[in-house]
Amino acid sequence: MNLADSSTLTTTLITRGYRRVDDEKDADLLIFNTCSVREKAEERVLGRLGEVYQYKKKRPHMKIAVVGCMAQRLGEKLRAEVPYVDFVLGTDRVFELPDVIEGIEGTSPVMTAFGHENMDMIMPSKETSFSGFVTISRGCDNYCTYCIVPYVRGKERAHSADQIVGAISKLVDEGVAEVTLLGQNVNSYRYGDTDFPRLLERVATGTGIQRIRYMTSHPKDLSERLVDVMAEQPKVMQHIHLPLQSGCNRILRRMGRVYTIEHYLKTVEYIRSTLDYVSLTTDLIVGFPSETDEEYEQTLAAVRTIRFDGAFMFRYSVRPGTTAARFDDDVAEEDKIDRLNRLIKLQQQIGEEQNQREVNQVRHGMVEGFSRRSEQYYRARTEGNKIVLFESQRPLESGTVVPVRITSADAYTLHGDMMRVN
Ligand code: SAH
Ligand code: SF4
C-alpha cells in the first residue's frame, strides 16, 4: 500500500509541475513515505534522515518531508527529534503535500488529523507501463494485538464499486493489463450491497483488465464464495496471500486473530480442492510474548503441513500503544533470532519443493522485462505470482502474456522454455 501511495503522490506532484531527479543529492524536495509496522522500519528511516542531512547542509533550501505511518505515529515528536524535517504528514494527509509546500491557507507543516481524506476520490496508481494498484479500502478494524496499523491508518473505510470499476477502466485505457486490488483486509470489503467476491466479479466482467490480483486476506473473513469466484473468473490470478501468523491456538488467541489453526487448515483445504492450481503465501511472526519453544514448534508443524509457496517471516517487534505492548516481551532476542532462522530455513526448503512441483507444467507469465541479472533472459510473473525466467528469439513487450513450460526451479525463481504461440 505504501508503494501505491508513493506512486500516487509522485503523480500528484508531477501534475503540479514537479520533476523527478535521478540523484537524491540534486533534489529540492526529499520525501520519505514511511512504515511503522516494525521498529526496524522506523529505525531505517531515522538512519536515512541522518544521511541526507549532509545534502541539506550544503543546499539549505532543500525540503525534507516525512509522510505516512511514522509521521502519523510521531507527529510533532518527529520534528522534536529531527528538527531539520520540514513537513510531517500523516496517513490521511499525504496527498496534501503540494498544498502544504505552497503554504495554501488551512495547511500547516505538521498535519496528522484523520477524517480529511475524500473517499469520493479514488487515485489508482500506475506502477509500471502495464501494471497498476487500486486501493479498495483504507484502514483496519481488526486490532490484532501486536499491530500498529489500525492506529496509524485509522478505521476501515471503502471506496464504492463504481469508483473502483471506473478507476480500473481508466488504467486499462492507459494500457495497464494487470491490477492489484489493495486493502489491509480485502475480505471484509463492503460498500452498499457489494462484498469482496461480488466486487471481484464486477471487476472481472465489467472492465477490460486482463489480470486481477488482490491483497491482503484475513483468514477469518475469507469465504468459500470468494474461492468459488476465483475458480469461475479466469482473469483472477491463482494466488492467495493468507497471513497465518502462528500455528498455535493460544498464541493466535493472544494475538487477537480470532481464528484457530483448525479453521485455517479447513480454509486451505477448500482453496486447494476448489482451485486446480493456486499458490499460497503467508506472514508469520515468531517470538510473540510468552511463546514457548513448544508453541513455536506448532508454527513449524503448521508450515510443514500447509506447505506455503512463500512466506514473509518476522521477529515480534513491540509497537508502543498496541495491546501487546502491555504484555511482557519475554522471549529473549537471541531466541527470537534463532526461531526466525530455523523457520526461514524450513520455509526455504518447502518453497523450493513447491517450486519443483511446477516443473513440466505450463504457466502463463506476464512479461515484466529482462531478468535483473542478464538481458539474455526475460522475466515474467506467473498466475501464482512467481517469477519465471526464459529466453525468447523475438523481442517481447512488457505486459504481454506468454506460455512457458517450467524446466527447473529454485526456492525463489522458476526457469522455463517459452512455448510457440500460434
Ligand atoms: N493487513 C495485513 C498486513 C499487516 S502488516 C494483514 O493482516 O495481513 C504485515 C505483516 O507484518 C503482518 O501480517 C505481520 O506478520 C507483520 N507484523 C505486524 N505487526 C508486527 C509486529 N509488531 N511485529 C512483527 N511483525 C509484525
Ligand atoms: Fe494489523 Fe491485524 Fe489489521 Fe492486519 S488485520 S492490519 S495484522 S490489525
PDB file of all heavy atoms in Angstrom, residues 153-177:
ATOM      1  N   ARG A 153      -3.411   3.954  10.512  1.00  0.00           N
ATOM      2  CA  ARG A 153      -4.175   4.087   9.256  1.00  0.00           C
ATOM      3  C   ARG A 153      -5.664   4.294   9.489  1.00  0.00           C
ATOM      4  O   ARG A 153      -6.436   4.458   8.544  1.00  0.00           O
ATOM      5  CB  ARG A 153      -3.912   2.903   8.331  1.00  0.00           C
ATOM      6  CG  ARG A 153      -2.538   2.999   7.637  1.00  0.00           C
ATOM      7  CD  ARG A 153      -2.510   2.211   6.365  1.00  0.00           C
ATOM      8  NE  ARG A 153      -1.299   2.381   5.579  1.00  0.00           N
ATOM      9  CZ  ARG A 153      -1.189   3.209   4.548  1.00  0.00           C
ATOM     10  NH1 ARG A 153      -2.194   3.982   4.201  1.00  0.00           N
ATOM     11  NH2 ARG A 153      -0.071   3.275   3.871  1.00  0.00           N
ATOM     12  N   GLY A 154      -6.064   4.243  10.752  1.00  0.00           N
ATOM     13  CA  GLY A 154      -7.444   4.588  11.079  1.00  0.00           C
ATOM     14  C   GLY A 154      -8.450   3.490  10.796  1.00  0.00           C
ATOM     15  O   GLY A 154      -8.097   2.358  10.464  1.00  0.00           O
ATOM     16  N   LYS A 155      -9.724   3.851  10.948  1.00  0.00           N
ATOM     17  CA  LYS A 155     -10.811   2.879  10.792  1.00  0.00           C
ATOM     18  C   LYS A 155     -10.964   2.478   9.322  1.00  0.00           C
ATOM     19  O   LYS A 155     -10.628   3.242   8.430  1.00  0.00           O
ATOM     20  CB  LYS A 155     -12.130   3.501  11.277  1.00  0.00           C
ATOM     21  CG  LYS A 155     -12.192   3.736  12.764  1.00  0.00           C
ATOM     22  CD  LYS A 155     -13.624   3.948  13.262  1.00  0.00           C
ATOM     23  CE  LYS A 155     -14.390   2.657  13.428  1.00  0.00           C
ATOM     24  NZ  LYS A 155     -13.754   1.674  14.323  1.00  0.00           N
ATOM     25  N   GLU A 156     -11.537   1.280   9.152  1.00  0.00           N
ATOM     26  CA  GLU A 156     -11.696   0.797   7.779  1.00  0.00           C
ATOM     27  C   GLU A 156     -12.775   1.596   7.042  1.00  0.00           C
ATOM     28  O   GLU A 156     -13.855   1.817   7.578  1.00  0.00           O
ATOM     29  CB  GLU A 156     -12.075  -0.688   7.805  1.00  0.00           C
ATOM     30  CG  GLU A 156     -12.144  -1.291   6.421  1.00  0.00           C
ATOM     31  CD  GLU A 156     -12.397  -2.799   6.431  1.00  0.00           C
ATOM     32  OE1 GLU A 156     -11.903  -3.495   7.332  1.00  0.00           O
ATOM     33  OE2 GLU A 156     -13.106  -3.253   5.519  1.00  0.00           O
ATOM     34  N   ARG A 157     -12.466   2.052   5.848  1.00  0.00           N
ATOM     35  CA  ARG A 157     -13.476   2.703   5.011  1.00  0.00           C
ATOM     36  C   ARG A 157     -13.218   2.287   3.552  1.00  0.00           C
ATOM     37  O   ARG A 157     -12.075   2.077   3.146  1.00  0.00           O
ATOM     38  CB  ARG A 157     -13.474   4.225   5.181  1.00  0.00           C
ATOM     39  CG  ARG A 157     -12.154   4.916   4.922  1.00  0.00           C
ATOM     40  CD  ARG A 157     -11.434   5.275   6.242  1.00  0.00           C
ATOM     41  NE  ARG A 157     -10.213   6.033   5.942  1.00  0.00           N
ATOM     42  CZ  ARG A 157      -9.039   5.815   6.497  1.00  0.00           C
ATOM     43  NH1 ARG A 157      -8.850   4.869   7.371  1.00  0.00           N
ATOM     44  NH2 ARG A 157      -7.995   6.546   6.170  1.00  0.00           N
ATOM     45  N   ALA A 158     -14.311   2.170   2.807  1.00  0.00           N
ATOM     46  CA  ALA A 158     -14.225   1.560   1.483  1.00  0.00           C
ATOM     47  C   ALA A 158     -14.570   2.545   0.373  1.00  0.00           C
ATOM     48  O   ALA A 158     -15.336   3.483   0.584  1.00  0.00           O
ATOM     49  CB  ALA A 158     -15.170   0.368   1.413  1.00  0.00           C
ATOM     50  N   HIS A 159     -13.994   2.308  -0.785  1.00  0.00           N
ATOM     51  CA  HIS A 159     -14.421   3.028  -1.985  1.00  0.00           C
ATOM     52  C   HIS A 159     -15.585   2.263  -2.619  1.00  0.00           C
ATOM     53  O   HIS A 159     -15.659   1.040  -2.505  1.00  0.00           O
ATOM     54  CB  HIS A 159     -13.270   3.108  -2.993  1.00  0.00           C
ATOM     55  CG  HIS A 159     -12.207   4.088  -2.602  1.00  0.00           C
ATOM     56  ND1 HIS A 159     -12.403   5.445  -2.632  1.00  0.00           N
ATOM     57  CD2 HIS A 159     -10.940   3.898  -2.170  1.00  0.00           C
ATOM     58  CE1 HIS A 159     -11.295   6.057  -2.242  1.00  0.00           C
ATOM     59  NE2 HIS A 159     -10.383   5.145  -1.943  1.00  0.00           N
ATOM     60  N   SER A 160     -16.451   2.975  -3.320  1.00  0.00           N
ATOM     61  CA  SER A 160     -17.590   2.290  -3.933  1.00  0.00           C
ATOM     62  C   SER A 160     -17.133   1.437  -5.115  1.00  0.00           C
ATOM     63  O   SER A 160     -16.104   1.712  -5.737  1.00  0.00           O
ATOM     64  CB  SER A 160     -18.629   3.311  -4.407  1.00  0.00           C
ATOM     65  OG  SER A 160     -18.177   3.929  -5.596  1.00  0.00           O
ATOM     66  N   ALA A 161     -17.929   0.401  -5.394  1.00  0.00           N
ATOM     67  CA  ALA A 161     -17.597  -0.489  -6.504  1.00  0.00           C
ATOM     68  C   ALA A 161     -17.558   0.296  -7.823  1.00  0.00           C
ATOM     69  O   ALA A 161     -16.695   0.053  -8.678  1.00  0.00           O
ATOM     70  CB  ALA A 161     -18.613  -1.620  -6.584  1.00  0.00           C
ATOM     71  N   ASP A 162     -18.470   1.263  -7.976  1.00  0.00           N
ATOM     72  CA  ASP A 162     -18.493   2.059  -9.213  1.00  0.00           C
ATOM     73  C   ASP A 162     -17.182   2.805  -9.405  1.00  0.00           C
ATOM     74  O   ASP A 162     -16.630   2.851 -10.503  1.00  0.00           O
ATOM     75  CB  ASP A 162     -19.637   3.092  -9.172  1.00  0.00           C
ATOM     76  CG  ASP A 162     -20.991   2.414  -9.326  1.00  0.00           C
ATOM     77  OD1 ASP A 162     -21.018   1.245  -9.750  1.00  0.00           O
ATOM     78  OD2 ASP A 162     -22.006   3.066  -9.014  1.00  0.00           O
ATOM     79  N   GLN A 163     -16.706   3.388  -8.304  1.00  0.00           N
ATOM     80  CA  GLN A 163     -15.437   4.124  -8.379  1.00  0.00           C
ATOM     81  C   GLN A 163     -14.286   3.200  -8.747  1.00  0.00           C
ATOM     82  O   GLN A 163     -13.429   3.551  -9.554  1.00  0.00           O
ATOM     83  CB  GLN A 163     -15.099   4.685  -7.002  1.00  0.00           C
ATOM     84  CG  GLN A 163     -15.708   6.002  -6.687  1.00  0.00           C
ATOM     85  CD  GLN A 163     -15.236   6.405  -5.305  1.00  0.00           C
ATOM     86  OE1 GLN A 163     -15.084   5.580  -4.411  1.00  0.00           O
ATOM     87  NE2 GLN A 163     -14.983   7.671  -5.135  1.00  0.00           N
ATOM     88  N   ILE A 164     -14.288   2.024  -8.110  1.00  0.00           N
ATOM     89  CA  ILE A 164     -13.188   1.079  -8.333  1.00  0.00           C
ATOM     90  C   ILE A 164     -13.190   0.618  -9.795  1.00  0.00           C
ATOM     91  O   ILE A 164     -12.156   0.615 -10.462  1.00  0.00           O
ATOM     92  CB  ILE A 164     -13.312  -0.109  -7.349  1.00  0.00           C
ATOM     93  CG1 ILE A 164     -13.085   0.403  -5.915  1.00  0.00           C
ATOM     94  CG2 ILE A 164     -12.323  -1.214  -7.690  1.00  0.00           C
ATOM     95  CD1 ILE A 164     -13.507  -0.561  -4.821  1.00  0.00           C
ATOM     96  N   VAL A 165     -14.393   0.275 -10.285  1.00  0.00           N
ATOM     97  CA  VAL A 165     -14.508  -0.170 -11.677  1.00  0.00           C
ATOM     98  C   VAL A 165     -14.062   0.965 -12.617  1.00  0.00           C
ATOM     99  O   VAL A 165     -13.315   0.742 -13.575  1.00  0.00           O
ATOM    100  CB  VAL A 165     -15.959  -0.646 -11.975  1.00  0.00           C
ATOM    101  CG1 VAL A 165     -16.216  -0.780 -13.465  1.00  0.00           C
ATOM    102  CG2 VAL A 165     -16.226  -1.968 -11.259  1.00  0.00           C
ATOM    103  N   GLY A 166     -14.486   2.185 -12.285  1.00  0.00           N
ATOM    104  CA  GLY A 166     -14.102   3.343 -13.105  1.00  0.00           C
ATOM    105  C   GLY A 166     -12.588   3.541 -13.117  1.00  0.00           C
ATOM    106  O   GLY A 166     -11.983   3.793 -14.162  1.00  0.00           O
ATOM    107  N   ALA A 167     -11.972   3.413 -11.934  1.00  0.00           N
ATOM    108  CA  ALA A 167     -10.527   3.616 -11.828  1.00  0.00           C
ATOM    109  C   ALA A 167      -9.775   2.569 -12.637  1.00  0.00           C
ATOM    110  O   ALA A 167      -8.772   2.870 -13.304  1.00  0.00           O
ATOM    111  CB  ALA A 167     -10.107   3.549 -10.364  1.00  0.00           C
ATOM    112  N   ILE A 168     -10.286   1.336 -12.598  1.00  0.00           N
ATOM    113  CA  ILE A 168      -9.599   0.266 -13.339  1.00  0.00           C
ATOM    114  C   ILE A 168      -9.771   0.479 -14.846  1.00  0.00           C
ATOM    115  O   ILE A 168      -8.823   0.300 -15.621  1.00  0.00           O
ATOM    116  CB  ILE A 168     -10.102  -1.117 -12.874  1.00  0.00           C
ATOM    117  CG1 ILE A 168      -9.655  -1.321 -11.417  1.00  0.00           C
ATOM    118  CG2 ILE A 168      -9.563  -2.241 -13.765  1.00  0.00           C
ATOM    119  CD1 ILE A 168     -10.251  -2.505 -10.716  1.00  0.00           C
ATOM    120  N   SER A 169     -10.969   0.903 -15.252  1.00  0.00           N
ATOM    121  CA  SER A 169     -11.175   1.165 -16.678  1.00  0.00           C
ATOM    122  C   SER A 169     -10.225   2.261 -17.158  1.00  0.00           C
ATOM    123  O   SER A 169      -9.702   2.206 -18.283  1.00  0.00           O
ATOM    124  CB  SER A 169     -12.615   1.588 -16.946  1.00  0.00           C
ATOM    125  OG  SER A 169     -13.479   0.562 -16.528  1.00  0.00           O
ATOM    126  N   LYS A 170      -9.980   3.233 -16.293  1.00  0.00           N
ATOM    127  CA  LYS A 170      -9.075   4.316 -16.655  1.00  0.00           C
ATOM    128  C   LYS A 170      -7.645   3.765 -16.841  1.00  0.00           C
ATOM    129  O   LYS A 170      -6.949   4.112 -17.797  1.00  0.00           O
ATOM    130  CB  LYS A 170      -9.099   5.384 -15.550  1.00  0.00           C
ATOM    131  CG  LYS A 170      -8.453   6.672 -15.947  1.00  0.00           C
ATOM    132  CD  LYS A 170      -8.690   7.776 -14.916  1.00  0.00           C
ATOM    133  CE  LYS A 170      -7.548   8.762 -15.013  1.00  0.00           C
ATOM    134  NZ  LYS A 170      -6.662   8.767 -13.871  1.00  0.00           N
ATOM    135  N   LEU A 171      -7.248   2.878 -15.931  1.00  0.00           N
ATOM    136  CA  LEU A 171      -5.925   2.271 -16.064  1.00  0.00           C
ATOM    137  C   LEU A 171      -5.835   1.466 -17.365  1.00  0.00           C
ATOM    138  O   LEU A 171      -4.816   1.497 -18.062  1.00  0.00           O
ATOM    139  CB  LEU A 171      -5.641   1.342 -14.869  1.00  0.00           C
ATOM    140  CG  LEU A 171      -5.305   2.005 -13.523  1.00  0.00           C
ATOM    141  CD1 LEU A 171      -5.156   0.940 -12.435  1.00  0.00           C
ATOM    142  CD2 LEU A 171      -4.025   2.833 -13.610  1.00  0.00           C
ATOM    143  N   VAL A 172      -6.924   0.747 -17.685  1.00  0.00           N
ATOM    144  CA  VAL A 172      -6.940  -0.053 -18.915  1.00  0.00           C
ATOM    145  C   VAL A 172      -6.737   0.861 -20.127  1.00  0.00           C
ATOM    146  O   VAL A 172      -5.944   0.564 -21.024  1.00  0.00           O
ATOM    147  CB  VAL A 172      -8.265  -0.848 -19.041  1.00  0.00           C
ATOM    148  CG1 VAL A 172      -8.386  -1.509 -20.408  1.00  0.00           C
ATOM    149  CG2 VAL A 172      -8.368  -1.893 -17.929  1.00  0.00           C
ATOM    150  N   ASP A 173      -7.422   2.020 -20.110  1.00  0.00           N
ATOM    151  CA  ASP A 173      -7.274   2.980 -21.219  1.00  0.00           C
ATOM    152  C   ASP A 173      -5.822   3.444 -21.342  1.00  0.00           C
ATOM    153  O   ASP A 173      -5.366   3.811 -22.414  1.00  0.00           O
ATOM    154  CB  ASP A 173      -8.158   4.217 -20.993  1.00  0.00           C
ATOM    155  CG  ASP A 173      -9.635   3.869 -21.137  1.00  0.00           C
ATOM    156  OD1 ASP A 173      -9.926   2.787 -21.686  1.00  0.00           O
ATOM    157  OD2 ASP A 173     -10.486   4.666 -20.681  1.00  0.00           O
ATOM    158  N   GLU A 174      -5.119   3.454 -20.206  1.00  0.00           N
ATOM    159  CA  GLU A 174      -3.716   3.876 -20.244  1.00  0.00           C
ATOM    160  C   GLU A 174      -2.778   2.714 -20.569  1.00  0.00           C
ATOM    161  O   GLU A 174      -1.562   2.831 -20.431  1.00  0.00           O
ATOM    162  CB  GLU A 174      -3.318   4.473 -18.879  1.00  0.00           C
ATOM    163  CG  GLU A 174      -3.981   5.809 -18.599  1.00  0.00           C
ATOM    164  CD  GLU A 174      -3.771   6.256 -17.151  1.00  0.00           C
ATOM    165  OE1 GLU A 174      -2.880   5.722 -16.473  1.00  0.00           O
ATOM    166  OE2 GLU A 174      -4.529   7.142 -16.703  1.00  0.00           O
ATOM    167  N   GLY A 175      -3.336   1.565 -20.913  1.00  0.00           N
ATOM    168  CA  GLY A 175      -2.506   0.443 -21.345  1.00  0.00           C
ATOM    169  C   GLY A 175      -2.163  -0.560 -20.256  1.00  0.00           C
ATOM    170  O   GLY A 175      -1.353  -1.461 -20.467  1.00  0.00           O
ATOM    171  N   VAL A 176      -2.782  -0.408 -19.087  1.00  0.00           N
ATOM    172  CA  VAL A 176      -2.474  -1.330 -17.995  1.00  0.00           C
ATOM    173  C   VAL A 176      -3.188  -2.670 -18.208  1.00  0.00           C
ATOM    174  O   VAL A 176      -4.365  -2.707 -18.571  1.00  0.00           O
ATOM    175  CB  VAL A 176      -2.858  -0.694 -16.640  1.00  0.00           C
ATOM    176  CG1 VAL A 176      -2.908  -1.722 -15.525  1.00  0.00           C
ATOM    177  CG2 VAL A 176      -1.867   0.410 -16.300  1.00  0.00           C
ATOM    178  N   ALA A 177      -2.464  -3.780 -18.004  1.00  0.00           N
ATOM    179  CA  ALA A 177      -3.032  -5.105 -18.245  1.00  0.00           C
ATOM    180  C   ALA A 177      -3.324  -5.858 -16.950  1.00  0.00           C
ATOM    181  O   ALA A 177      -4.099  -6.803 -16.929  1.00  0.00           O
ATOM    182  CB  ALA A 177      -2.060  -5.929 -19.103  1.00  0.00           C
TER     183      ALA A 177
END
